[in-house]
Amino acid sequence: MRKNIVAGNWKMNKTLQEGVALATELKTLLAGKQPNCEVIIGTPFIHLATVAELLKDSVIKVSAENCADKPSGAYTGEVSAAMVASTGATYCIIGHSERRTYYGETYEILREKVQLALANGLKPIFCIGEVKEEREANKQNEVVKAQLEGSVFNLSAEEFGKIVLAYEPVWAIGTGLTATPEQAQEIHAYIRGLVAEKYGKQVADDCTILYGGSCNAKNAAGLFANPDIDGGLIGGASLKAEDFNAIINAF
Ligand code: PGA
């Protein structure tokens, strides 16, 4: 079933103590509430176990921001999907544009990560989206299509049913330039159409597609009101509990 989701992506922010404080604040704000969406926070690896333990009796779920493209072994500094799952995290962001751009993550690497996340019981939040030049050249549709074909359209329908997609135009991430609700709805509908072509209408109807890129308390409601926008992946505005809570309340 399609879910509404508001997911935070802390990126490389917050020490462990600061992260615990933020998670605690959010837990308090949501205590006794049943938000109209699933709430997830994506934290750096080192926070996962502590934050997952802290939130185990709350409505908030925990996500990693990445995982390794290898199952285990001599890969110094890497963290496997099995390790992420062992912390109590249940989601894993994969293919964020910052990973693709700064860490050279290719379609093939991301395909491995998605498979490993699924094999370890994690739900991938798979990110796609075009850069500014591609949008200016009106190439956004072909870009997202290639990203889906390159890394997730190899999945069976059952496996694909476990992933969440996040459309994040790279030109909108951390820039204050949000896609307009019309721009976002248009490409979300296109993405859902691609999923329908590949896996059929039911899988497409059930697929959660988040918007990310300078989504905040002011613009969230306008974005989430669209039929194909099922929530947000939130960077900057997830670093303050009140801002993040206001986005949750946009549903
Ligand atoms: P932003 O980041 O909300 O700070 O633009 C979104 C993201 O990169 O997931």
Side-chain angles (χ1 to χ4, degrees):
M1 273 306 288
R2 193 188 315 184
K3 280 183 194 164
N4 291 330
I5 296 178
V6 171
N9 173 14
W10 291 359
K11 310 194 179 184
M12 196 174 74
N13 293 296
K14 306 285 177 194
T15 62
L16 179 58
Q17 292 74 20
E18 289 165 350
V20 166
L22 176 55
T24 306
E25 223 185 310
L26 198 62
K27 183 182 173 182
T28 309
L29 282 172
L30 293 179
K33 305 229 167 74
Q34 270 310 329
N36 292 322
C37 59
E38 188 159 307
V39 178
I40 305 170
I41 52 178
T43 83
F45 291 130
I46 60 139
H47 301 61
L48 289 175
T50 316
V51 168
E53 174 67 24
L54 178 79
L55 297 177
K56 70 175 189 303
D57 49 5
S58 96
V59 294
I60 308 166
K61 305 228 162 50
V62 180
S63 175
E65 300 174 9
N66 182 27
C67 68
D69 62 335
K70 306 283 192 304
S72 67
Y75 301 101
T76 302
E78 289 293 296
V79 175
S80 71
M83 292 174 188
V84 168
S86 74
T87 66
T90 50
Y91 284 87
C92 186
I93 298 171
I94 295 177
H96 192 280
S97 65
E98 287 149 19
R99 301 292 319 168
R100 294 177 192 261
T101 307
Y102 305 138
Y103 301 97
E105 295 193 353
T106 61
Y107 295 171
E108 294 72 29
I109 289 172
L110 297 175
R111 199 186 306 150
E112 296 302 317
K113 293 188 177 202
V114 170
Q115 294 276 13
L116 284 163
L118 287 169
N120 286 284
L122 295 169
K123 293 180 204 121
I125 301 174
F126 184 71
C127 305
I128 54 177
E130 79 288 353
V131 300
K132 184 158 152 271
E133 295 71 29
E134 291 162 341
R135 169 67 62 167
E136 282 165 0
N138 203 28
K139 292 208 162 117
Q140 60 277 13
N141 287 5
E142 45 184 286
V143 171
V144 298
K145 184 168 190 236
Q147 290 169 331
L148 291 169
E149 285 174 344
S151 306
V152 291
F153 275 2
N154 57 303
L155 298 173
S156 68
E158 197 197 335
E159 288 167 330
F160 189 86
K162 298 188 177 127
I163 79 171
V164 171
L165 296 178
Y167 168 68
E168 300 204 299
V170 181
W171 47 271
I173 296 178
T175 57
L177 291 173
T178 323
T180 63
E182 295 72 28
Q183 280 174 322
Q185 166 55 29
E186 189 182 0
I187 192 156
H188 279 231
Y190 172 73
I191 293 165
R192 199 177 303 283
L194 292 174
V195 175
E197 260 172 47
K198 175 73 193 171
Y199 294 106
K201 187 173 179 311
Q202 189 60 50
V203 173
D205 280 348
D206 286 347
C207 180
T208 294
I209 310 176
L210 308 180
Y211 168 80
S214 298
C215 183
N216 58 38
K218 287 212 177 78
N219 58 31
L223 287 159
F224 299 170
N226 290 280
D228 290 298
I229 303 179
D230 308 312
L233 182 55
I234 318 297
S238 74
L239 295 174
K240 287 211 182 102
E242 300 227 330
D243 293 352
F244 192 58
N245 190 40
I247 298 173
I248 295 165
N249 288 334
F251 269 118

